[in-house]
Amino acid sequence: MAKTIKIAIDGMGGDDGATMVVHGLSIAKSETPNLEFILFGRDAILVPLIAEYKNLSSGVTIIHTDDYVAAEDKPSQAVRRGRKSSMGLAIAAVKDGSADVAVSAGNTGALMSMAKIMLRTMPAIDRPALTSRMPTLTGECVLLDLGANVDCNAENLVQFAVMGAAFSRTVVGVDRPKVGILNVGVEELKGSSAVKEASQCLRETHPNMEFNGFAEGNDIGTGKFDVIVTDGFSGNIALKTIEGTAKFVGALMKNAFESSISSKLGYLLAKGGINDLKAHIDPNNHNGAVFLGLNGLVVKSHGGATPVGFASAVNVAFNMAKNDLSKLISDDLKNYDEAAPVQVLAAGD
Amino acid sequence: MAKTIKIAIDGMGGDDGATMVVHGLSIAKSETPNLEFILFGRDAILVPLIAEYKNLSSGVTIIHTDDYVAAEDKPSQAVRRGRKSSMGLAIAAVKDGSADVAVSAGNTGALMSMAKIMLRTMPAIDRPALTSRMPTLTGECVLLDLGANVDCNAENLVQFAVMGAAFSRTVVGVDRPKVGILNVGVEELKGSSAVKEASQCLRETHPNMEFNGFAEGNDIGTGKFDVIVTDGFSGNIALKTIEGTAKFVGALMKNAFESSISSKLGYLLAKGGINDLKAHIDPNNHNGAVFLGLNGLVVKSHGGATPVGFASAVNVAFNMAKNDLSKLISDDLKNYDEAAPVQVLAAGD
């Protein structure tokens, strides 16, 4: 029988709070029966919601807390006062081993700060990285760091590559991910010293990833790379630029289809295909950002996720825990500690 | 009578070379009669092409040269050997004052390197910036630097803001451009020390721009900002991410419209609106990247531009020269030299 994975859930996070979360748990459980949930939040709200879903009648433990982190709370407030919140208790459950992984749709800054302080960084990792999957023409591309670290050196980027490749293997299911470093051109001479040194270090062959050199911004969506690594400044700008451009094109498409009666009719006829397109780029289908590199697994769901989107984040959590992502990362990092990086980095750092 | 603007043209640049260029000149001249062209390239090719367009029978001087910079030439080769090329002579015409501005659809790296070395940076500018216009929902956003400078300090960013605002006024026609600095969040505490210091410096009010603080990647297409300033690393990534995402959505749209007979029929009915959408985001309609901050104006057309696209780049050149962009930039910079920046920058640099 497959191993049961225990997932700590922040029951009060997200724009629609507990209603969305519990509905999402039911969807996740119908797809993956060997899940157990430890659900943190207000009894009075959660108990009746759970009662609505037959498949949640077992395998769900509710742990009551009155406190929760609000969307407008500052990370520093959450760290000071949020330990007893539904979010804080979910992270604590990972720390004390009562859960394999935690999922929250709450305040991103608060979740990142609390996870970092409560779980701390893995011994072999200097800086954890916010990681997510982007849709491509052929599948999904793992992109990191998305904003946790504004400045990164070569060593950070190498560690991100190792973490991103392990994430791609366990969550996206790519056996030997094609990895690239985001840069302003693909030639070896281009870019900052950090990207050049990291590239040199990753060129050493490795059984668990295929390093394909530099990637450019227009490579994110093509499927040419399974993992693209960058510093948190560029990664955040790339992520938000993608979101903005998709919205921009969507708004123009809406205008296009409303521009005449014949366009409106055309839209109705083409609706099936257009809905497939929308589903393909719908963030709910790629939901579940992960803060990689901590002593414990934490998944961030979009605050505005639908129940299906939240279930997608739970599925990310399940895959990471089932495959013991943290151990994979530690093991893979040893390949780099013992190889070239020390010499290469010493030259420029 | 309006002042005649003299434009030096690299007749041999671009994927379709002289044919596209000369056709573009004819379109530009039909829109703006008071243009004079000095056209550099091979007589034997250019003379018969010019003869095809009635409105080019006057106002065009052809200066013969056998040499041209090839698409695959390295910038360093172009700098060493390219002075007598059609590209090099066009830049030289700006330098010696025989032309007000130069336009080339040739090799970008070669054009940037030759322009920088031959024209040199303006006295008040530390680093020139590659600048272009992106379509937004309401008009165009000027984005710089797009890749000339991988690392930038606060002073560079302030200078880019001044140059970008002057470009927006003269080329896009915005009276008092809304300027932002690209960052990973809009809060004052976010980002690198360079963006924070630049923001503080630009907060001083200024008659020729309205500084609106930090912009995020998803702000580029909304029309909220007329100018967005960033370092060349992030700018290049944002630019290519926009191109990549637009292509990605375009490819998905194509699939959507080909997914069934009813979708194909729908496409035919909606075609008018969809063509408007395509025109809105067509790079040809926003063509003409500019290397701002040099002692002379140089415009880079896309290598794959259509004749209409090349005419759009010529129009950018015309507007910059007519409004004496270089003088506007010098004048505006004085507002910052005399104000807060010196103290602010001294604290962190």
Side-chain angles (χ1 to χ4, degrees):
Chain A
M1 203 188 123
K3 186 188 159 198
T4 297
I5 299 294
K6 287 188 191 163
I7 307 187
I9 304 284
D10 171 7
M12 312 306 286
D15 301 348
D16 296 326
T19 311
M20 179 280 287
V21 167
V22 174
H23 188 176
L25 295 184
S26 171
I27 296 169
K29 180 119 178 142
S30 66
E31 290 163 356
T32 316
N34 55 325
L35 288 178
E36 264 188 49
F37 299 120
I38 311 172
L39 182 56
F40 296 89
R42 298 193 176 176
D43 256 349
I45 294 171
L46 296 171
V47 171
L49 285 171
I50 291 290
E52 287 179 30
Y53 301 94
K54 212 174 160 185
N55 71 341
L56 298 181
S57 61
S58 68
V60 181
T61 309
I62 299 177
I63 298 188
H64 173 78
T65 177
D66 268 329
D67 294 356
Y68 63 94
V69 174
E72 63 278 10
D73 283 353
K74 292 199 178 136
S76 52
Q77 291 177 324
V79 166
R80 274 200 312 276
R81 302 197 303 241
R83 302 248 171 174
K84 302 255 152 159
S85 68
S86 53
M87 182 187 281
L89 292 176
I91 300 170
V94 173
K95 189 180 159 102
D96 69 23
S98 50
D100 299 301
V101 54
V103 182
S104 172
N107 183 324
T108 308
L111 184 68
M112 280 172 47
S113 301
M114 285 175 77
K116 201 169 166 184
I117 287 176
M118 291 171 67
L119 299 174
R120 300 197 178 273
T121 307
M122 288 169 64
I125 295 289
D126 296 315
R127 296 196 192 176
L130 195 63
T131 309
S132 194
R133 297 165 296 155
M134 311 300 301
T136 71
L137 289 175
T138 56
E140 294 186 313
C141 178
V142 174
L143 192 61
L144 72 167
D145 171 34
L146 297 174
N149 311 287
V150 168
D151 292 309
C152 291
N153 63 23
E155 210 163 349
N156 300 144
L157 294 173
V158 170
Q159 293 172 357
F160 295 173
V162 170
M163 297 196 292
F167 184 79
S168 174
R169 298 204 303 279
T170 58
V171 173
V172 187
V174 180
D175 276 350
R176 192 157 181 265
K178 299 188 286 289
V179 177
I181 298 176
L182 199 60
N183 196 358
V184 296
V186 295
E187 301 84 6
E188 275 299 302
L189 290 171
K190 292 235 174 174
S192 62
S193 57
V195 301
K196 282 187 271 191
E197 283 168 26
S199 165
Q200 225 180 314
C201 170
L202 288 165
R203 292 220 164 273
E204 300 289 314
T205 55
H206 186 285
N208 293 327
M209 75 162 83
E210 180 182 322
F211 181 66
N212 283 351
F214 294 138
E216 296 189 83
N218 49 351
D219 290 322
I220 300 172
T222 60
K224 202 174 147 193
F225 293 90
D226 300 303
V227 178
I228 293 182
V229 166
T230 185
D231 64 88
F233 195 89
S234 300
N236 185 279
I237 282 163
L239 173 75
K240 287 183 179 155
T241 303
I242 290 170
E243 287 173 2
T245 309
K247 261 193 199 164
F248 168 70
V249 176
L252 292 178
M253 273 175 72
K254 193 160 175 285
N255 293 344
F257 287 122
E258 287 174 352
S259 64
S260 69
I261 291 173
S262 103
S263 291
K264 283 180 193 169
L265 186 59
Y267 173 76
L268 289 176
L269 287 166
K271 210 173 171 182
I274 292 168
N275 286 344
D276 288 350
L277 185 170
K278 283 186 184 163
H280 189 80
I281 59 172
D282 184 350
N284 280 298
N285 296 332
H286 312 277
N287 190 25
V290 178
F291 206 24
L292 290 179
L294 300 178
N295 293 307
L297 300 170
V298 176
V299 179
K300 166 72 178 82
S301 162
H302 272 280
T306 60
V308 168
F310 194 79
S312 167
V314 170
N315 194 46
V316 167
F318 169 73
N319 280 309
M320 293 197 305
K322 186 184 70 176
N323 297 296
D324 204 350
L325 180 67
S326 299
K327 187 175 178 313
L328 292 181
I329 291 172
S330 299
D331 290 350
D332 282 356
L333 277 172
K334 289 181 193 143
N335 291 307
Y336 293 91
D337 288 346
E338 292 156 9
V342 182
Q343 298 135 21
V344 174
L345 294 179
D349 265 15
Chain B
M1 204 186 123
K3 187 189 160 197
T4 296
I5 300 294
K6 287 187 190 165
I7 307 187
I9 304 283
D10 171 6
M12 312 305 285
D15 301 347
D16 296 324
T19 311
M20 179 282 285
V21 167
V22 174
H23 188 174
L25 295 183
S26 171
I27 295 169
K29 180 121 176 139
S30 67
E31 290 164 355
T32 314
N34 54 325
L35 288 178
E36 262 188 52
F37 300 119
I38 311 171
L39 182 57
F40 297 90
R42 295 190 178 178
D43 255 350
I45 294 171
L46 294 170
V47 171
L49 283 172
I50 290 290
E52 286 179 31
Y53 300 94
K54 212 174 162 187
N55 71 342
L56 298 181
S57 62
S58 69
V60 180
T61 309
I62 297 176
I63 298 187
H64 174 79
T65 177
D66 268 328
D67 295 354
Y68 62 94
V69 175
E72 62 279 10
D73 285 354
K74 291 199 179 138
S76 53
Q77 292 177 325
V79 166
R80 275 199 311 277
R81 304 196 303 242
R83 304 247 172 177
K84 301 253 152 162
S85 67
S86 54
M87 184 188 280
L89 292 176
I91 299 170
V94 173
K95 188 181 159 102
D96 69 22
S98 52
D100 299 300
V101 54
V103 182
S104 172
N107 184 325
T108 308
L111 184 68
M112 279 172 46
S113 299
M114 287 175 74
K116 201 171 165 181
I117 287 176
M118 291 170 67
L119 299 174
R120 302 198 176 270
T121 306
M122 288 169 65
I125 295 288
D126 297 313
R127 298 197 193 173
L130 194 62
T131 309
S132 193
R133 297 165 296 155
M134 311 301 300
T136 71
L137 289 174
T138 57
E140 292 185 315
C141 178
V142 174
L143 191 61
L144 72 166
D145 170 32
L146 297 174
N149 311 286
V150 168
D151 293 308
C152 291
N153 62 23
E155 209 161 351
N156 299 145
L157 294 174
V158 169
Q159 292 172 357
F160 295 172
V162 169
M163 295 195 294
F167 183 80
S168 174
R169 298 203 304 277
T170 57
V171 173
V172 186
V174 180
D175 277 349
R176 192 158 182 265
K178 296 186 288 289
V179 177
I181 299 177
L182 199 59
N183 198 358
V184 295
V186 295
E187 301 83 6
E188 273 301 304
L189 291 170
K190 294 237 174 175
S192 64
S193 57
V195 300
K196 282 187 270 191
E197 282 168 27
S199 164
Q200 224 181 316
C201 170
L202 287 165
R203 291 217 167 272
E204 299 289 312
T205 56
H206 187 285
N208 293 327
M209 75 163 81
E210 179 182 323
F211 180 67
N212 284 351
F214 294 138
E216 296 188 80
N218 49 351
D219 290 323
I220 300 171
T222 60
K224 202 174 145 191
F225 293 89
D226 300 303
V227 178
I228 292 182
V229 167
T230 187
D231 63 89
F233 195 90
S234 301
N236 185 279
I237 282 163
L239 174 74
K240 286 181 181 158
T241 302
I242 290 170
E243 287 172 3
T245 308
K247 262 193 199 164
F248 168 70
V249 175
L252 292 180
M253 273 176 72
K254 194 161 173 284
N255 293 345
F257 287 122
E258 287 172 353
S259 63
S260 69
I261 292 173
S262 104
S263 290
K264 283 181 192 167
L265 187 59
Y267 174 76
L268 290 176
L269 286 167
K271 212 174 169 180
I274 293 167
N275 285 343
D276 288 349
L277 185 172
K278 284 186 182 162
H280 189 81
I281 59 173
D282 184 350
N284 281 299
N285 296 333
H286 312 277
N287 189 26
V290 178
F291 207 21
L292 290 179
L294 300 175
N295 293 308
L297 300 170
V298 176
V299 179
K300 167 71 178 83
S301 164
H302 272 279
T306 61
V308 169
F310 194 79
S312 167
V314 170
N315 195 46
V316 167
F318 169 73
N319 280 309
M320 292 197 305
K322 186 185 72 173
N323 296 297
D324 205 348
L325 181 66
S326 300
K327 187 173 179 314
L328 292 181
I329 291 172
S330 300
D331 290 349
D332 281 354
L333 277 172
K334 288 179 197 148
N335 291 306
Y336 293 91
D337 288 346
E338 293 157 8
V342 182
Q343 297 134 20
V344 176
L345 293 178
D349 265 16

